[in-house]
């Protein structure tokens, strides 16, 4: 039987130090920012199991720094998190730069692959900078179907 997961919640400033520590432990390049909405799933002991950040850039947002605690990967937490925050993802046009090996995951969670030319100018520059660093990423857009 599938284990039910708690709902996603937006991080309040009180929880920010825990989020920062979570990212330092599991995804050091995913530095959280208090100015950006961060969503998490916590267990009954308040330990963060999964988190993502919605970085606001102009009138868009970029889903970034999505990470699941290693011992809880591949059990559906990431999908559960995304599916619990549809209203936040629909609030403004949402994009992500998915690591190429994670494209199927994002396709299964309402993201569609797009061309670089379909990105807003502000995001095109960022995407090009990331790929120039050697990152294997794919531009995607959130479209709730």
């Amino acid at each position: 039987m599938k284990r039910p997961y708690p709902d996603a919640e937006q991080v309040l400033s009180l929880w920010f130090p825990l989020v920062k520590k979570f990212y330092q432990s599991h995804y050091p390049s995913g530095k959280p920012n208090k100015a950006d909405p961060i969503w998490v799933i916590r267990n009954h002991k308040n330990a963060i199991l999964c988190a993502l950040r919605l970085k606001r850039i102009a009138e868009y947002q970029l889903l970034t720094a999505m990470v699941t605690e290693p011992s809880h990967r591949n059990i559906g937490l990431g999908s559960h998190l995304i599916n619990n925050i549809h209203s936040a993802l629909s609030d403004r046009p949402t994009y992500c730069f998915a690591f190429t090996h994670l494209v199927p995951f994002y396709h299964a969670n309402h993201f569609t692959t797009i061309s670089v030319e379909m990105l807003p100018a502000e995001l095109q520059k960022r995407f090009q900078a990331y790929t120039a660093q050697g990152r294997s990423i794919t531009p995607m857009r959130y479209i709730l179907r």
Side-chain angles (χ1 to χ4, degrees):
M1 184 167 113
K2 249 186 158 180
R3 190 177 96 193
Y5 304 116
D7 288 337
E9 59 184 299
Q10 190 170 354
V11 171
L12 303 174
S13 59
L14 174 71
W15 290 99
F16 189 78
L18 291 176
V19 170
K20 189 173 181 179
K21 186 175 180 177
F22 177 78
Y23 277 116
Q24 287 171 341
S25 296
H26 304 297
Y27 188 57
S29 65
K31 296 174 178 45
N33 182 332
K34 286 183 182 178
D36 295 325
I38 298 170
W39 293 85
V40 300
I41 292 178
R42 295 182 293 140
N43 68 11
H44 65 284
K45 294 180 181 178
N46 289 325
I48 296 172
L49 302 177
C50 188
L52 66 78
R53 177 177 162 205
L54 295 175
K55 182 172 183 56
R56 295 197 170 150
I57 302 166
E59 66 267 19
Y60 313 103
Q61 57 188 5
L62 183 64
L63 186 154
T64 184
M66 182 164 184
V67 65
T68 300
E69 201 277 331
S71 68
H72 287 79
R73 291 183 181 160
N74 300 311
I75 60 172
L77 274 178
S79 294
H80 185 69
L81 178 56
I82 288 174
N83 285 299
N84 266 249
I85 64 166
H86 285 306
S87 61
L89 294 170
S90 300
D91 183 45
R92 54 180 67 202
T94 300
Y95 298 86
C96 78
F97 302 152
F99 288 118
T100 303
H101 70 281
L102 293 175
V103 167
F105 166 81
Y106 285 102
H107 277 159
N109 287 286
H110 310 286
F111 281 84
T112 301
T113 302
I114 59 173
S115 68
V116 175
E117 295 76 30
M118 293 174 69
L119 287 169
E122 298 90 343
L123 296 179
Q124 279 185 26
K125 291 175 188 172
R126 189 173 295 258
F127 182 85
Q128 290 164 343
Y130 291 158
T131 56
Q133 295 170 357
R135 297 182 190 179
S136 179
I137 54 177
T138 301
M140 302 186 84
R141 178 158 183 199
Y142 179 79
I143 300 174
L144 186 58
R145 325 179 229 330

